[in-house]
Amino acid sequence: MADTTKSEAAGLPQPVVEEVAFSRQGLTDIQKKVAGNRVELLLEYPTVYIVYDKEKPHAYQVYVGETNNIEQRTRQHLEDDPLRREDWRYLAESSASQLLVIGHPHFNKSLTLDIENNMMLYMSGVESVKKLNNRRENQQNKYYTFKEKDKIFSAIWRKLHNFDPELFPIEEVVRDSALFKASPFHTLTKEQDHARELILRRIQAALHVPQGHQLILVEGEAGSGKTVLLSSLFYQLWQLGEDKNYSEFNTANSYLLVNHNEQVKVYENIAAKLGMNTANVSKPTAFINNEQTAAGVDVVLVDEAHLLWTQGKQSYRGENQLDDILARAKVVVAVFDKKQILSREGYLTTNEIHKLEHHAKQQGNWIQFKQQLRMNASEATQTWLTSLIERHVVDPIPADSSYDLKIFDDPVALYQAIQAKAQSKEHGLSRMLATFDWPYKNKPPKDGQLYRVTVGKLSLPWNLQLKPAKQQRGRMKRLAWAEQDQTIGEVGSTFTIQGFDLNYSGVIIGPSVKYRDGHVVFDPKASQNQKATTRRTLANGEKVYVDKELLPNELNVLLTRGVNGLYIYAVDDALRAALLAAQS
């Protein structure tokens, strides 16, 4: 009854969903279980369908498809596909496999393709789905009923949740998943779609006719959709490599690199779920060390290219990771944001950044993203943040009905507010963050204690120290930091949160950020981030301090994580007073 009410409120009829065994008998059972025009919707009109099997507890194998003839398509999956594909052989032979058939009075070919694509997006974000089988992505442009897609999909998902809550969790839970947010099945904006098509054309041309080492540089600020573009490219390159009509593409010769442990984990999980080779997801140093042949690789995609090292470090003996990657690949696609360079090891001078951009522009390979896709904030709120971070001024905080920006004068109250958001089904994924102004090292303290962020009466451990409950350790190990249950009791840093979203972020601005003479100033002596505050040796041998650029970048990363809200507490008395005054 609740579903009917929601559907009526939306002015749309209810979807029809029926579940039967995935077998020859199953379709006959539909006719016995469903009466009237509901049978017609399922058997004679376009439908979306899901075939799934629960291989073991908390582990599903799923196929999502759409068809104009569910009876014919099911026979094909049961009789023909198992002869060619192992995944279908498993599903056809398993006695536990189920078939969910979804119909709707407003379904047409374009809408079912879009619903199928959206279903793949959601399934890629469901933790219990270990294998997701489909060989395409089907984003559609505008069509007659395209404005109804989201409402119809939500009504379908609610019905599916009633069939199996583990396979179809509450919608908000799925959307909070890092896998969902980095999924290749997101509907691309015009800006993203244009960039993807341009990049694919450039790659195809370079593989047909050698053109030297090609650098395609995609620039955009935090939240501009760079990761979704890269994920979509990675998946499409794999698809083309599987297609015999595109012989120039080799799935084994396309790599995705990222210099961020948490993001590597996300991409590996996506690749495993979609049946791609997880060995093609790597950190840059491992790739460079393993691929010694010049231009031996076709395509390398680099996420968070601003994290690449521009000097030697530990196991990396080179001088510039991007140069070394370019030497090993015919085409390198790098997404880059100069405002997110955080470490002296990845520092680039202004001239070096201009040289990098000029190199890409000369080849016609420079792409710039201008849209802000992460934060549901007004332009005025985004301008306020930019003024704080880049112009170092505290302007009056604008009213914004769509974004919850709040200044706190008590760190305990801030933490309690973030805990309440995290426990709310409505608000979901929320965590504490802080500037790197309290000690932290990779090795635990000798006294057995934890490295902590302590402000007044609030004292919380830094990230990556609390252990998950014993029965959840295997599961939590696979999740990004913010998604792990126990991390609501920790404080995240740029090193764990960069590249990820939160619904609400609670940011403690530490003593390295002060307010003096009407301006925000950065004090490297109050920072514990030696990667930002110690000197960097430039190419000409000169040793310089680069904290004036890196510390504002750290603040930029932290203040741009929250999708729906940002809560701030400033340790510096003058800065806190200025922020509170700006709020009133």
Side-chain angles (χ1 to χ4, degrees):
M1 183 65 70
D3 283 347
T4 303
T5 303
K6 289 180 180 179
S7 181
E8 288 174 352
L12 294 171
Q14 272 285 286
V16 177
V17 181
E18 197 58 59
E19 182 177 44
V20 294
F22 178 55
S23 66
R24 293 170 181 83
Q25 180 63 33
L27 291 173
T28 302
D29 292 340
I30 286 182
Q31 299 184 48
K32 294 178 181 178
K33 295 171 70 175
V34 182
N37 68 339
R38 291 160 59 87
V39 172
E40 192 177 45
L41 281 176
L42 295 179
L43 299 184
E44 298 182 31
Y45 281 77
T47 55
V48 175
Y49 64 95
I50 300 167
V51 180
Y52 74 92
D53 180 84
K54 194 170 186 177
E55 299 176 305
K56 56 184 178 180
H58 317 301
Y60 291 82
Q61 182 169 170
V62 177
Y63 181 91
V64 178
E66 64 79 37
T67 181
N68 288 335
N69 189 327
I70 187 64
E71 292 181 284
Q72 180 181 326
R73 183 60 59 85
T74 302
R75 283 195 297 271
Q76 176 186 337
H77 288 328
L78 286 167
E79 298 168 10
D80 300 335
D81 291 340
L83 301 176
R84 300 188 299 268
R85 285 175 49 177
E86 185 179 340
D87 53 351
W88 278 117
R89 185 163 60 252
Y90 171 83
L91 289 168
E93 293 176 355
S94 171
S95 61
S97 293
Q98 296 293 109
L99 170 66
L100 283 158
V101 186
I102 303 161
H104 193 279
H106 292 193
F107 271 180
N108 53 53
K109 187 65 174 179
S110 293
L111 183 53
T112 55
L113 284 169
D114 246 0
I115 294 290
E116 176 198 34
N117 198 69
N118 224 37
M119 194 65 69
M120 288 291 290
L121 169 62
Y122 273 67
M123 290 282 94
S124 64
V126 174
E127 187 185 342
S128 61
V129 174
K130 304 306 178 186
K131 295 179 183 177
L132 182 55
N133 303 319
N134 193 308
R135 295 290 191 261
R136 63 188 181 183
E137 57 90 27
N138 280 313
Q139 176 180 329
Q140 300 296 296
N141 293 318
K142 290 184 178 181
Y143 49 91
Y144 181 61
T145 54
F146 83 96
K147 291 183 179 179
E148 298 177 357
K149 182 195 75 172
D150 291 341
K151 291 177 181 177
I152 290 175
F153 181 83
S154 289
I156 290 170
W157 192 266
R158 288 194 298 272
K159 286 206 168 223
L160 292 172
H161 177 73
N162 293 332
F163 281 96
D164 190 332
E166 184 179 17
L167 180 56
F168 305 101
I170 295 170
E171 207 171 341
E172 288 77 7
V173 172
V174 180
R175 295 177 69 88
D176 279 346
S177 162
L179 294 180
F180 175 91
K181 292 172 181 178
S183 170
F185 297 101
H186 281 280
T187 299
L188 302 183
T189 64
K190 286 185 179 179
E191 190 174 54
Q192 290 170 320
D193 192 43
H194 175 74
R196 185 179 67 169
E197 294 308 310
L198 173 63
I199 292 168
L200 286 171
R201 288 200 304 272
R202 290 277 193 265
I203 291 172
Q204 196 162 19
L207 297 185
H208 270 298
V209 181
Q211 302 173 20
H213 302 282
Q214 296 281 304
L215 170 65
I216 301 174
L217 189 67
V218 183
E219 288 198 67
E221 296 187 9
S224 58
K226 303 184 297 297
T227 291
V228 167
L229 168 69
L230 215 62
S231 179
S232 176
L233 276 170
F234 189 45
Y235 183 62
Q236 191 158 9
L237 287 170
W238 175 75
Q239 284 183 300
L240 293 171
E242 295 284 300
D243 190 332
K244 294 179 182 178
N245 295 320
Y246 294 90
S247 57
E248 68 270 28
F249 291 98
N250 182 347
T251 56
N253 240 0
S254 297
Y255 287 80
L256 194 157
L257 312 180
V258 60
N259 218 2
H260 191 297
N261 291 333
E262 298 295 306
Q263 200 71 15
V264 166
K265 190 187 302 182
V266 169
Y267 283 128
E268 285 178 338
N269 285 339
I270 289 174
K273 186 171 290 198
L274 296 177
M276 302 163 69
N277 188 357
T278 57
N280 288 36
V281 177
S282 173
K283 294 191 74 173
T285 296
F287 170 81
I288 291 166
N289 291 342
N290 291 335
E291 298 290 337
Q292 296 298 330
T293 306
V297 171
D298 289 338
V299 183
V300 174
L301 310 177
V302 185
D303 197 7
E304 309 275 358
H306 38 268
L307 298 180
L308 291 175
W309 297 337
T310 54
Q311 65 177 29
K313 177 191 174 185
Q314 297 171 350
S315 58
Y316 174 62
R317 301 303 179 188
E319 296 180 354
N320 185 298
Q321 287 187 324
L322 182 56
D323 289 345
D324 287 342
I325 294 166
L326 276 166
R328 288 158 172 78
K330 296 182 178 102
V331 182
V332 174
V333 182
V335 299
F336 179 77
D337 178 8
K338 60 189 175 186
K339 295 178 183 178
Q340 292 196 66
I341 298 175
L342 299 175
S343 167
R344 71 181 190 281
E345 295 146 351
Y347 178 75
L348 290 167
T349 65
T350 300
N351 285 339
E352 287 170 332
I353 293 172
H354 287 163
K355 183 179 178 181
L356 186 67
E357 293 172 339
H358 180 69
H359 177 73
K361 288 176 181 178
Q362 274 192 318
Q363 297 180 324
N365 291 339
W366 185 66
I367 299 169
Q368 188 176 30
F369 279 1
K370 297 181 179 179
Q371 288 183 282
Q372 164 58 248
L373 302 176
R374 173 182 292 142
M375 299 171 66
N376 294 326
S378 66
E379 186 176 344
T381 296
Q382 293 179 43
T383 299
W384 183 86
L385 284 169
T386 301
S387 295
L388 178 69
I389 297 163
E390 297 180 21
R391 293 178 49 234
H392 304 163
V393 296
V394 180
D395 290 330
I397 297 175
D400 190 344
S401 60
S402 61
Y403 196 78
D404 188 7
L405 174 56
K406 190 179 298 183
I407 312 300
F408 284 74
D409 61 0
D410 178 5
V412 174
L414 168 61
Y415 179 47
Q416 290 172 342
I418 290 298
Q419 281 183 306
K421 296 296 183 186
Q423 293 165 3
S424 163
K425 290 183 180 179
E426 179 185 356
H427 299 293
L429 191 64
S430 304
R431 290 295 184 267
M432 293 289 292
L433 308 172
T435 52
F436 197 172
D437 293 345
W438 292 265
Y440 179 84
K441 296 180 180 178
N442 290 331
K443 293 182 179 180
K446 294 180 180 179
D447 60 6
Q449 299 299 307
L450 301 176
Y451 297 110
R452 306 184 77 86
V453 174
T454 301
V455 185
K457 294 182 179 180
L458 179 70
S459 184
L460 296 173
W462 266 124
N463 43 213
L464 305 176
Q465 296 186 96
L466 295 182
K467 305 297 181 186
K470 188 174 182 180
Q471 65 272 22
Q472 289 191 313
R473 284 177 188 171
R475 171 177 169 257
M476 292 299 160
K477 188 177 180 180
R478 297 189 296 269
L479 299 178
W481 172 80
E483 293 180 282
Q484 298 180 34
D485 293 343
Q486 78 281 2
T487 62
I488 188 60
E490 293 183 326
V491 179
S493 67
T494 55
F495 299 103
T496 47
I497 204 61
Q498 188 171 28
F500 293 93
D501 295 349
L502 296 167
N503 286 337
Y504 276 75
S505 58
V507 179
I508 298 175
I509 301 178
S512 68
V513 188
K514 295 176 166 60
Y515 191 72
R516 300 291 184 267
D517 300 322
H519 284 84
V520 175
V521 297
F522 294 86
D523 180 5
K525 294 180 181 178
S527 172
Q528 294 290 329
N529 187 0
Q530 295 184 4
K531 291 179 180 292
T533 58
T534 53
R535 290 192 295 178
R536 163 67 193 257
T537 302
L538 301 181
N540 61 7
E542 181 184 3
K543 293 186 176 181
V544 297
Y545 288 103
V546 293
D547 51 79
K548 288 184 179 179
E549 293 156 80
L550 300 187
L551 290 180
N553 287 355
E554 179 182 355
L555 189 63
N556 173 50
V557 169
L558 295 175
L559 295 183
T560 54
R561 297 303 102 190
V563 173
N564 297 319
L566 167 64
Y567 294 167
I568 298 174
Y569 174 85
V571 171
D572 179 69
D573 291 338
L575 178 57
R576 187 168 66 256
L579 290 169
L580 287 167
Q583 179 175 250
S584 58

